[in-house]
Amino acid sequence: SAPACNDCHGNHGAAPPGVRDVTVVCGTCHGRVAELFNASEMKTGMETMGKRGCVTCHGNHDIRRASDDMLAVAAPGLCGDCHEPGSEAEKGTAAIVDGFHGLKADVARADSLLKAAEVLGMETTAGHALLREADDQVIGVRAVLHSFDSKLVGTAISEGRQLASKASSAGESALRDWRMRRLGMALSLVVILVMMTLLILRIRSLEGH
């Protein structure tokens, strides 16, 4: 379902999209992202700087495959291309970037805990359901980032981290249950061995009489 030339340029009356039309063209497929970007202050700022909306970060014919590496102030990130080092905009960007990567780290930790519990045969259905919600929130944050609204992005990141935290707690709980079961089994085995030893000693004592 990859786009062809006519998806952006039309058919018989083909013409290159104008500067103000680029986000409209991209928005035919990326509606939610375009809506957020068009309502953002960043759009006005980019136009003031002579930058062309979506293509500034994503290119046009050589469209860059979007990756989280693009979200950084330093190379290979793209945020530093517009924001001066030490500026308030740069500091705000850094806070958003740190929050987003913190969310991804929380999700990765939850995934690792749940996988470990699952390998040990523990029940992890509820934890994995929470993890899926956290994963969905990561995808949602990637879209909300195009609003360039620190409060909106921060709220989405916070919601995702809460879900990831709950998923981690479910994984930790499952692992604790496994350890308790192992401890219970070990104690039971000790009790059995003690009883067997006492029984053997009793039998030998009776045989001695």
Side-chain angles (χ1 to χ4, degrees):
S1 60
C5 302
N6 61 300
D7 289 310
C8 296
H9 294 283
N11 296 312
H12 301 294
V19 173
R20 292 184 177 275
D21 296 328
V22 172
T23 53
V24 175
V25 172
C26 298
T28 58
C29 292
H30 306 284
R32 173 61 174 156
V33 171
E35 179 184 349
L36 290 166
F37 178 74
N38 288 331
S40 71
E41 293 181 3
M42 185 65 71
K43 179 186 178 184
T44 303
M46 293 178 83
E47 289 178 348
T48 301
M49 297 171 65
K51 294 183 179 293
R52 299 182 59 198
C54 305
V55 299
T56 301
C57 296
H58 297 285
N60 43 19
H61 297 112
D62 59 339
I63 295 172
R64 305 172 194 176
R65 183 178 181 84
S67 74
D68 293 337
D69 292 336
M70 297 169 70
L71 185 66
V73 176
L78 304 176
C79 303
D81 293 349
C82 295
H83 301 306
E84 293 292 330
S87 66
E88 288 302 314
E90 191 268 349
K91 292 176 183 177
T93 299
I96 289 175
V97 170
D98 290 345
F100 177 66
H101 289 299
L103 167 59
K104 289 180 60 182
D106 289 350
V107 169
R109 179 175 182 274
D111 183 51
S112 177
L113 288 168
L114 289 167
K115 282 181 177 177
E118 189 173 28
V119 167
L120 295 172
M122 302 303 292
E123 172 59 41
T124 59
T125 302
H128 273 105
L130 288 165
L131 181 61
R132 283 192 296 273
E133 289 187 53
D135 275 328
D136 289 343
Q137 195 67 17
V138 171
I139 296 171
V141 170
R142 290 190 180 114
V144 173
L145 285 168
H146 293 83
S147 71
F148 301 96
D149 183 326
S150 58
K151 291 184 179 180
L152 189 61
V153 176
T155 298
I157 289 174
S158 178
E159 291 174 357
R161 298 192 81 162
Q162 289 175 20
L163 288 167
S165 178
K166 291 179 181 178
S168 290
S169 295
E172 291 169 346
S173 177
L175 290 173
R176 279 196 302 272
D177 287 347
W178 179 80
R179 286 191 290 269
M180 290 300 295
R181 291 182 187 184
R182 296 286 290 183
L183 179 60
M185 290 176 63
L187 291 174
S188 298
L189 181 60
V190 169
V191 171
I192 291 171
L193 290 174
V194 170
M195 294 298 293
M196 289 179 64
T197 301
L198 291 174
L199 181 60
I200 291 171
L201 291 174
R202 178 61 177 168
I203 292 172
R204 288 180 178 178
S205 175
L206 292 173
E207 289 176 346
H209 292 294

